[in-house]
Amino acid sequence: SQTIHQWPATLVQPVGSPLSLECTVEGTSNPNLYWYRQAAGRGLQLLFYSVGIGQISSEVPQNLSASRPQDRQFILSSKKLLLSDSGFYLCAWTLERDYGYTFGSGTRLTVV
Amino acid sequence: GDSVTQMEGPVTLSEEACLTINCTYTATGYPSLFWYVQYPGEGLQLLLKATKADDKGSNKGFEATYRKETTSFHLEKGSVQVSDSAVYFCALLSGGYQKVTFGTGTKLQVIP
């Protein structure tokens, strides 16, 4: 069966520090991968998506970046965190239209 | 662009009460529609979906009907339980790369 792993579950980082969040999918090949952010009291904002290795599309310009070094691995990074980067980060995957997303359990990031 | 509008929360209901969470959408073409549920501290789970007009999605006692004429996809349940307390997100998929647009979420609290 397909599973998605996301870590860490929680993270507290100082302003200006780097960030690396990792997401891996098991049990499927060539999934579409997505990073979403959920700010406190707000909906989900699509940050990045990827339809294949090395292919990254950015939805919102910001100080975050994403990479897909392997078929089932999706990484969200930042060189210098801002206070406004705090939020709940969710990774998701899907195979095809109408399949629906499968979400990871999320990473709660607090920038202090 | 595509958008989803949900009724504002929080919604507080007594156990066994009827639930309706309104959702309307704006999209080009023929989107697929979804409801996701997020329990406290967790990622999102797909609750139900409908891929064409007049389809009814159902799961765990929840139902929603794809109404093209009113561009709506309201979530309903006849008798809610305390365990249904969560945040519910309406979402649509339209266009390529399976990018999903989410509503802002509606928090439901069910009290005994």
Side-chain angles (χ1 to χ4, degrees):
Chain A
S1 64
Q2 302 102 342
T3 56
I4 180 169
H5 301 282
Q6 192 179 337
W7 67 92
T10 59
L11 194 58
V12 180
Q13 293 284 96
V15 169
S17 63
L19 173 73
S20 180
L21 303 181
E22 188 163 343
C23 171
T24 60
V25 180
E26 294 180 358
T28 187
S29 297
N30 198 30
N32 287 358
L33 296 170
Y34 308 82
W35 278 111
Y36 279 84
R37 177 170 61 198
Q38 184 179 22
R42 302 179 66 180
L44 283 83
Q45 179 185 38
L46 178 62
L47 302 176
F48 301 95
Y49 67 94
S50 170
V51 299
I53 296 174
Q55 299 180 50
I56 306 295
S57 296
S58 174
E59 288 291 299
V60 182
Q62 56 207 328
N63 70 319
L64 299 173
S65 61
S67 62
R68 185 171 177 174
Q70 301 180 42
D71 180 42
R72 290 170 287 180
Q73 184 184 30
F74 204 25
I75 297 172
L76 182 70
S77 304
S78 174
K79 292 183 179 178
K80 288 186 178 181
L81 285 169
L82 306 173
L83 286 173
S84 57
D85 292 325
S86 294
F88 193 47
Y89 288 81
L90 290 158
C91 180
W93 72 274
T94 190
L95 281 179
E96 59 189 24
R97 182 182 173 88
D98 300 336
Y99 189 83
Y101 283 1
T102 299
F103 281 89
S105 54
T107 296
R108 185 160 302 284
L109 171 66
T110 304
V111 182
V112 296
Chain B
D2 298 342
S3 67
V4 177
T5 302
Q6 285 181 240
M7 62 185 290
E8 297 245 352
V11 174
T12 302
L13 295 174
S14 298
E15 204 165 22
E16 299 184 0
C18 294
L19 169 72
T20 299
I21 300 178
N22 291 334
C23 170
T24 57
Y25 66 89
T26 302
T28 55
Y30 302 94
S32 298
L33 302 174
F34 305 84
W35 277 101
Y36 286 84
V37 58
Q38 183 180 32
Y39 298 102
E42 298 183 9
L44 278 71
Q45 303 173 25
L46 179 63
L47 181 60
L48 54 84
K49 65 180 181 181
T51 59
K52 60 182 187 296
D54 300 325
D55 267 2
K56 177 185 284 188
S58 61
N59 186 25
K60 299 180 181 180
F62 290 90
E63 293 183 340
T65 302
Y66 189 148
R67 302 288 188 197
K68 194 174 190 313
E69 63 277 12
T70 54
T71 62
S72 65
F73 192 53
H74 304 323
L75 183 67
E76 300 176 325
K77 187 174 185 183
S79 177
V80 294
Q81 305 301 312
V82 172
S83 57
D84 293 327
S85 299
V87 180
Y88 293 81
F89 291 89
C90 185
L92 70 82
L93 186 157
S94 178
Y97 302 121
Q98 292 84 43
K99 291 190 292 179
V100 174
T101 300
F102 288 87
T104 53
T106 301
K107 184 175 182 178
L108 169 66
Q109 183 177 14
V110 181
I111 54 178

